[in-house]
């Protein structure tokens, strides 16, 4: 298998992604978490209601703004999903781009997400 084939195996286009929140989308049945960023939570997040509250970013106004900005970003064309692995919740971790522009960097640039290690 060539390097190009190996790289292509981990990447795909998603013509109709749906946005869950500022850092998570769905492509069909696949749940995809944008790698390397953290966006504010929405009110239904357990991170803002249980013992994890200290770890959640519970600014709901910014959470809605991040969700809406990601939705607008993805409306700009087909989303390219570069799969990098899975998180502990079973979601695909991926870099998401539209027209060569990175979704995570876009949201961080707007102040609606922060870099996550």
């Amino acid at each position: 298998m060539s390097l190009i084939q190996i790289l292509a195996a981990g990447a795909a286009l998603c013509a109709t992604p749906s946005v869950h929140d500022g850092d998570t989308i769905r492509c069909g049945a696949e749940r995809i978490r944008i790698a390397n960023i953290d966006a504010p939570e929405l009110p239904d997040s357990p991170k803002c209601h249980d013992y994890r509250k200290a770890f959640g970013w519970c600014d709901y106004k910014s959470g809605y703004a991040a969700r809406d900005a990601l939705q607008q970003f993805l409306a700009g064309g087909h989303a390219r999903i570069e799969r990098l692995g899975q998180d502990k919740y079973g979601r695909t971790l991926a870099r998401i781009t539209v027209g060569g522009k990175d979704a995570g960097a876009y949201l961080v640039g707007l102040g609606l997400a922060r870099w996550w290690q």
Side-chain angles (χ1 to χ4, degrees):
M1 186 180 285
S2 74
L3 178 58
I4 292 173
Q5 289 172 314
I6 292 169
L7 293 174
L13 292 179
C14 183
T16 57
S18 63
V19 175
H20 173 73
D21 61 20
D23 52 27
T24 309
I25 69 168
R26 282 191 180 270
C27 186
E30 184 179 18
R31 294 178 310 145
I32 303 170
R33 173 76 155 75
I34 300 174
N36 302 324
I37 68 160
D38 183 38
E41 304 299 329
L42 294 175
D44 62 344
S45 172
K47 286 184 182 177
C48 296
H49 301 288
D50 64 17
Y51 68 94
R52 297 174 289 178
K53 188 171 185 169
F55 304 107
W57 183 3
C58 302
D59 176 353
Y60 302 139
K61 183 178 177 183
S62 293
Y64 286 120
R67 180 200 62 195
D68 295 347
L70 180 56
Q71 213 160 14
Q72 183 177 3
F73 178 85
L74 293 173
H78 293 296
R80 183 176 183 274
I81 312 297
E82 181 184 342
R83 292 170 182 83
L84 304 171
Q86 271 194 338
D87 70 7
K88 64 183 178 181
Y89 303 107
R91 297 175 296 188
T92 299
L93 288 173
R95 180 172 179 249
I96 300 173
T97 57
V98 173
K101 295 179 184 173
D102 184 86
Y106 173 77
L107 291 167
V108 169
L110 292 176
L112 297 173
R114 55 189 173 203
W115 293 115
W116 183 259
Q117 305 298 341

